[in-house]
Amino acid sequence: EVQLVESGGGLVQPGGSLRLSCAASGFTFSSYAMSWVRQAPGKGLEWVSAINSGGGSTYYADSVKGRFTISRDNAKNTLYLQLNSLKTEDTAMYYCAKDVLDFPVGEYNYWGQGTQVTVSS
């Protein structure tokens, strides 16, 4: 059974940092690209970042480029998202998602349950 379990969310002040984790199980983690997708209150899903299976290629939405860093540890079957210089508009539920290929194509067959990030003073 494929499982994706996010953690690391919380309440942080503007300008602060958080590190999100996504623990994967039930599939060969190192064979698939992974993404982070978020959903702000009352809004649709927004793709945030993606990483290929080996971790050598990363991709970011313009809204987070230069502030967020995606990475993965294939030995630990874990995906990460480092969030720096957080803004109030980053407030959202953050989901990790498993892509169907080893490079990001934006087609996901599994999602985690999400971790809430709230940026507020």
Side-chain angles (χ1 to χ4, degrees), residues 29-119:
F29 180 71
S30 59
S31 294
Y32 294 94
M34 298 291 295
S35 286
W36 287 97
V37 179
R38 68 185 180 184
Q39 186 168 30
K43 296 189 176 181
L45 293 172
E46 177 190 15
W47 172 78
V48 173
S49 182
I51 188 167
N52 72 334
S53 59
S57 296
T58 57
Y59 310 86
Y60 298 94
D62 288 343
S63 58
V64 306
K65 199 172 294 182
R67 300 188 298 120
F68 292 6
T69 303
I70 192 171
S71 62
R72 64 192 296 162
D73 186 335
N74 285 343
K76 295 183 177 179
N77 290 348
T78 303
L79 176 72
Y80 302 100
L81 187 67
Q82 178 69 40
L83 291 66
N84 295 332
S85 303
L86 281 161
K87 306 175 181 180
T88 55
E89 52 262 44
D90 295 318
T91 294
M93 184 72 79
Y94 284 72
Y95 300 93
C96 67
K98 173 188 171 294
D99 210 303
V100 296
L101 295 177
D102 59 347
F103 57 93
V105 294
E107 186 176 342
Y108 312 118
N109 52 1
Y110 291 97
W111 296 74
Q113 84 292 344
T115 187
Q116 178 68 40
V117 172
T118 302
V119 185

